[in-house]
Amino acid sequence: METNRQSRIALSALSALAQEHRLEVFRLLVQAGPDGLAAGDIAEKLDIPSSSLSFHLSHLKQGGIVEVERQGRSIIYRADFSAMNGLMSYLLENCCEGAGCNVAVGAEPHLEKEC
């Protein structure tokens, strides 16, 4: 049962990222770090109209990979690093058939395995 739950969470996160603007937004939030960015700043930096950005941010939030916090009149968006680390762990949990390979999250992709 736990595997089905993990699969649904992974599918939700991956589908949220499976669109050009949402991927750009998420990468920008990763760059911003734990302070996050206000919606207006995101729209300005990526030149995305506010109405479209709201739609994309909603998908990222529903996908469980973006956190939202109101600060006064601003809404701050942050990448949920713990959710993304969980996703990467799930995707790589049986890497190289458990042989203890040297694949690291964040490493440059290559075609050869280092198992």
Side-chain angles (χ1 to χ4, degrees):
M1 259 330 166
E2 184 64 23
T3 302
N4 279 342
R5 182 179 167 289
Q6 290 175 318
S7 292
R8 285 192 307 273
I9 291 169
L11 286 170
S12 182
L14 292 169
S15 69
L17 290 170
Q19 198 280 339
E20 182 180 1
H21 291 303
R22 290 195 290 271
L23 183 59
E24 284 182 80
V25 168
F26 186 77
R27 288 177 50 88
L28 181 64
L29 292 174
V30 167
Q31 291 172 14
D35 291 338
L37 290 169
D41 293 336
I42 298 169
E44 183 180 315
K45 289 177 186 283
L46 297 179
D47 194 29
I48 299 174
S50 295
S51 59
S52 295
L53 179 61
S54 178
F55 173 79
H56 294 306
L57 287 167
S58 175
H59 274 280
L60 292 169
K61 183 177 181 253
Q62 289 173 359
I65 55 174
V66 167
E67 299 173 328
V68 182
E69 177 187 355
R70 180 172 285 284
Q71 289 183 355
R73 293 175 47 181
S74 296
I75 298 176
I76 304 299
Y77 292 87
R78 292 181 189 85
D80 186 336
F81 292 101
S82 114
M84 284 309 292
N85 286 336
L87 174 62
M88 295 309 297
S89 292
Y90 172 74
L91 293 173
L92 297 173
E93 73 184 345
N94 294 317
C95 179
C96 303
E97 298 178 348
C101 65
N102 296 324
V103 177
V105 174
E108 286 295 315
H110 51 83
L111 297 177
E112 299 174 23
K113 286 199 273 183
E114 295 181 17
C115 296

